[in-house]
Amino acid sequence: MVSPVTVVKSEGPKLVPFFKATCVYFVLWLPTSTPSWFSALIKCLPIFCLWIFLLAHGISFLDAHPSARRILAGLIFSLLGDAFLIWQEQGYFIHGLLMFAITHILYSSAFGMKPLNLPVGLVIAMVSGVSYALLYSYLAGPITYLVAVYIGIIGFMGWRAIAGVQLANDLWTWTKLSACLGAMLFMVSDLTIAVNKFCFPVPHSRAIIMATYYAAQMLIALSAVECQDEDHKKKIA
C-alpha cells in the first residue's frame, strides 16, 4: 500500500489550486439571496480545479482507466448541479437535483460492485429509510417522489464506496478509504441541505453544507488515483 506521506508529496501540489479556490469561496462568502454569474463562478471554481487535478494525471491515464473517467464525468455534472442550485429559488432546484443524481450514478459505477458487502448495504438502506421518513411529512407534490429516488441513488453510491473498505481483512488502500470518507461527507452535506430546505433552519447550514461538500468531492477525486497506484505496483512486480 502506498504510504500517506508519498500521497501527500505526489498529489498535494496538484490540489493547491483546489484549496486556493475553496479559500476564495469561504473568504468572499457571497450572499445567496442575490444569485449571479459571478457567485456561480466562485462556487463552481473548486470543482473545476478538481477537473484539472484529474487531467493533470494525463489523458492517457484517463483513457486507460474507466473509473477515473467516470469520476471526472461525475465532477462535470456536479459543476452543472452547483450552477443550477445558485438559482434554486428561481425554480432550478430540481435541475440541480437531477445533475447530482447523475453524479452519484457515475460515482457508483466508478466504485464498482465488488466486494458486494451486503451488511453495509443494509445499514445504508436503514439510514436512508430513516432519513426519508424524517423528511416525508415536510414534502408535498412531485418533490416527495424525487427526494425518495435521490436518497436511494446517493445511498447506493455510499454503499458502493463504503463496501470497498475491508478493514477486517486488511484488503484496503488509502484511496478506498478516501472514497468511503468522501461518500459519507457527501451524504452529510445533502442531508443538511434537505433538512434546512424542507424541515427547519439548520444553524450554520451553509458552512456545514459547503465544507462537507468540497471535502467530499476532493476525497472522491483522490480515489481515482487508485488506478495509478495499481499501475505502479504492476511495474514493481
Side-chain angles (χ1 to χ4, degrees):
M1 185 178 67
V2 179
S3 109
V5 175
T6 303
V7 173
V8 171
K9 287 181 178 178
S10 64
E11 305 303 329
K14 300 185 187 77
L15 284 170
V16 168
F18 165 79
F19 288 121
K20 287 184 176 179
T22 302
C23 287
V24 167
Y25 174 85
F26 283 104
V27 169
L28 292 180
W29 202 244
L30 298 173
T32 56
S33 56
T34 54
S36 66
W37 286 106
F38 181 68
S39 60
L41 172 66
I42 296 301
K43 183 182 180 185
C44 294
L45 193 56
I47 304 304
F48 178 75
C49 290
L50 291 177
W51 294 8
I52 303 303
F53 167 73
L54 288 180
L55 290 170
H57 290 83
I59 299 299
S60 58
F61 167 72
L62 293 172
D63 284 342
H65 301 291
S67 61
R69 291 200 304 273
R70 288 165 190 155
I71 289 174
L72 177 60
L75 288 169
I76 292 171
F77 280 99
S78 292
L79 188 146
L80 293 173
D82 283 333
F84 278 126
L85 291 180
I86 286 286
W87 287 277
Q88 60 178 290
E89 299 303 327
Q90 285 71 37
Y92 288 95
F93 178 77
I94 291 176
H95 298 72
L97 198 69
L98 175 60
M99 293 300 103
F100 279 109
I102 295 171
T103 293
H104 297 314
I105 291 169
L106 287 164
Y107 286 168
S108 299
S109 178
F111 299 147
M113 290 301 296
K114 293 181 181 179
L116 194 59
N117 206 335
L118 284 176
V120 169
L122 291 173
V123 171
I124 293 293
M126 287 190 291
V127 171
S128 298
V130 169
S131 299
Y132 184 66
L134 292 173
L135 294 169
Y136 182 77
S137 61
Y138 297 93
L139 303 172
I143 197 69
T144 304
Y145 309 104
L146 292 174
V147 168
V149 172
Y150 185 84
I151 288 175
I153 291 172
I154 192 174
F156 184 83
M157 184 276 291
W159 170 34
R160 295 324 310 143
I162 297 169
V165 182
Q166 296 176 284
L167 296 175
N169 299 320
D170 201 30
L171 298 173
W172 65 282
T173 63
W174 69 267
T175 45
K176 287 182 179 178
L177 186 59
S178 177
C180 170
L181 293 174
M184 289 193 291
L185 285 173
F186 218 135
M187 289 189 285
V188 169
S189 179
D190 280 5
L191 181 60
T192 306
I193 290 175
V195 171
N196 188 68
K197 184 174 181 64
F198 300 118
C199 303
F200 51 82
V202 176
H204 311 294
S205 60
R206 186 180 171 194
I208 295 168
I209 290 164
M210 297 311 299
T212 52
Y213 170 68
Y214 285 140
Q217 293 283 36
M218 181 197 70
L219 289 166
I220 290 172
L222 269 172
S223 72
V225 185
E226 175 71 28
C227 302
Q228 199 173 49
D229 294 342
E230 288 173 354
D231 286 350
H232 177 69
K233 290 176 186 175
K234 288 176 183 176
K235 286 178 182 177
I236 294 174

